[in-house]
Structures are given as structure tokens and as C-alpha cells.
Amino acid sequence: MEKTVTEAIAYRRSTRLYTEQPIDTDKVKQCLINASLAPTSSNLQLWEFYHVTNKEKLKLLAEACFNQSAARTAQQLVVVVTRKDLWQKRANANIDFLNRVYNKEGLSERDLKRKKMATNYYKKLIPTIYMDFLGILGYIKFFIFQIIGIFKPIYRQTRLSDMRIVAHKSAGLAAQNFMTSMAAIGYDTCPMEGSDTLRVKKILNLPSGAEINMVIGCGIRDDKGIYGPRFRIPFKEVYFEV
């Protein structure tokens, strides 16, 4: 029986050792479909998910992850990749979607206004924020926006490094969706930042614009795979009601 969201969150632990019991590839794929439903900045969905089941690729990726047990004993691996370089393609996909949704007669003035506003967002604002050249345009926009920000609230994260962070935040939300979905069906995961990202990209034949967000080990937990009781900073130290 599938766990509730609260049960799945409580069940999920970073599992660093897996049993040899195989896991269902289709179920893992469904969890990745759930991942793709995560919230994402401007609905650009600047992510890709590489679901690795090939034994040779698993071995190569484990080596690229320094042969840590969470990678070496995983039955499958998922590599979450950010694709900030695809912002224009994904913006156009949103525009095409808007045209399909609103491609009908008898639209209300409110719907027409909504379509125009959303279309302008992807045609004008997104290029303004994402377009860059060697990071130079990003800094120019950054300083201009800081000046404007003296007089009114304005979006300030316009540098190349800022947009990379935005893409990685969205990818992290998707990864959490995936891991929670896996926990809900009794599968275990371990998100790993420890990897030679250049080697991971070469193994997966990724283009230069792709970046590795994390590698996630997947399988059934071995009792020794949970390294100890869960520790969290007292909630009162991190919770502030304003």
C-alpha cells in the first residue's frame, strides 16, 4: 500500500547501501514523471532526468562517484541535469502551449488579456533575464537593476551565476518529488553531490551547456545502509513566524 506524503517523507532516508533485490524500472520511471510535475521557475523546466539501468553505465557512473557505496550498490541510478542553455527552446514551448490553449473563438476580454500578458512574459521578460554573453550582459543588467531597485522593488538576480542557481533550485525541487515518490512505494534513494561531474557528463554524452545537479542512487535499503538515527537541528532554531 502506497504511503501518504507525510509517511513517505518520514520514511525517506539517504540510503548508502542497497540489497541485491532488483527494483521495477517502470515504477522508477513513474516516479520520474512525478518529478517532472514539480514547481519550476517560470515553468521553463530547465531539467533532464537520465534513468540509468545499463550495467556497464552503472559501473562507470559508480566509478565517477568515487565508488561510494550508495552508487556502487545501487540497482539503478538517476542523474538530474540542469539545462539552462535550453531556456529559449522551453520559452517557445510555453508560447506554443498558450497559443493552443487560447486558440478558440469567443474568448473573453479577461482571457485575451491573460494570453497577451503571458506571451509577452516569455517573448520579452524571459529573454531580458536569460540572454547573456560570457556573463558580461548579466553584470550590466545586474547593475542597472540595482539602480532601479533604489526606487522600486525589482528582480535583481540577473547574472549568469544567478540564473544557474535558479535552474539548480528547480532541479532540486524535482529531485525531491522523485525521492518522495520513491519512498511512497517503498524504494530507497540517496542524493549524491560527490562525483566527477565532467566524467559523468562524458558517460552520458551530455553537451557542454548541461550541468549535473545530483546523482541519485536507487534500490532497496540494506539494514546497514542507514548510518544512524535521523538528526535535525531543533525546529525552534530554524522556524520563525513573522
Side-chain angles (χ1 to χ4, degrees):
M1 184 175 178
E2 190 166 319
K3 299 174 179 62
T4 66
V5 173
T6 300
E7 289 170 343
I9 291 172
Y11 175 82
R12 190 216 62 80
R13 297 291 306 277
S14 292
T15 302
R16 293 174 172 82
L17 188 67
Y18 300 96
T19 68
E20 295 182 358
Q21 181 180 343
I23 55 177
D24 190 320
T25 299
D26 289 336
K27 289 183 178 180
V28 177
K29 184 178 180 180
Q30 180 58 55
C31 291
L32 285 170
I33 292 173
N34 293 347
S36 72
L37 299 178
T40 168
S41 178
S42 297
N43 200 32
L44 289 179
Q45 304 165 56
L46 298 175
W47 53 41
E48 291 176 341
F49 310 104
Y50 288 80
H51 182 189
V52 185
T53 59
N54 178 274
K55 296 297 183 185
E56 184 60 31
K57 293 285 188 183
L58 287 171
K59 182 179 179 182
L60 291 172
L61 284 171
E63 292 173 357
C65 292
F66 315 128
N67 269 322
Q68 54 184 298
S69 57
R72 189 182 67 254
T73 65
Q75 291 296 307
Q76 299 178 24
L77 290 171
V78 166
V79 184
V80 182
V81 175
T82 64
R83 294 300 306 271
K84 188 181 71 66
D85 57 317
L86 296 180
W87 68 265
Q88 194 166 20
K89 180 179 179 181
R90 301 291 166 83
N92 288 335
N94 273 279
I95 293 170
D96 291 342
F97 174 76
L98 289 168
N99 288 333
R100 291 196 304 271
V101 169
Y102 291 101
N103 186 24
K104 53 187 177 182
E105 296 181 359
L107 290 175
S108 67
E109 185 176 341
R110 180 183 178 186
D111 284 338
L112 290 172
K113 184 177 180 181
R114 182 177 296 172
K115 178 189 177 183
K116 182 179 180 181
M117 182 177 65
T119 301
N120 285 338
Y121 181 86
Y122 288 107
K123 285 185 175 180
K124 298 178 181 180
L125 183 59
I126 290 300
T128 298
I129 295 174
Y130 276 88
M131 194 174 292
D132 207 342
F133 178 73
L134 300 176
I136 299 172
L137 289 178
Y139 272 100
I140 293 173
K141 289 182 288 184
F142 176 78
F143 287 118
I144 291 173
F145 285 13
Q146 301 311 304
I147 294 172
I148 297 173
I150 296 173
F151 305 99
K152 64 177 183 179
I154 192 169
Y155 188 75
R156 299 170 185 266
Q157 284 67 44
T158 60
R159 292 166 295 185
L160 181 63
S161 58
D162 295 325
M163 304 322 296
R164 288 182 62 243
I165 290 171
V166 168
H168 280 276
K169 284 195 293 186
S170 289
L173 292 172
Q176 185 61 46
N177 258 27
F178 170 69
M179 291 185 285
T180 302
S181 297
M182 289 282 279
I185 59 174
Y187 284 176
D188 295 289
T189 55
C190 183
M192 293 173 279
E193 290 185 296
S195 67
D196 183 328
T197 55
L198 180 59
R199 280 184 165 80
V200 173
K201 287 177 65 172
K202 287 182 177 179
I203 292 167
L204 298 178
N205 195 30
L206 299 178
S208 59
E211 294 187 8
I212 306 303
N213 177 259
M214 68 180 76
V215 181
I216 304 176
C218 307
I220 303 295
R221 68 178 65 176
D222 185 287
D223 290 340
K224 298 177 182 178
I226 308 298
Y227 282 0
R230 175 181 274 133
F231 167 72
R232 287 294 182 270
I233 299 296
F235 189 65
K236 65 182 181 181
E237 293 187 23
V238 297
Y239 173 74
F240 306 92
E241 182 175 350
V242 181

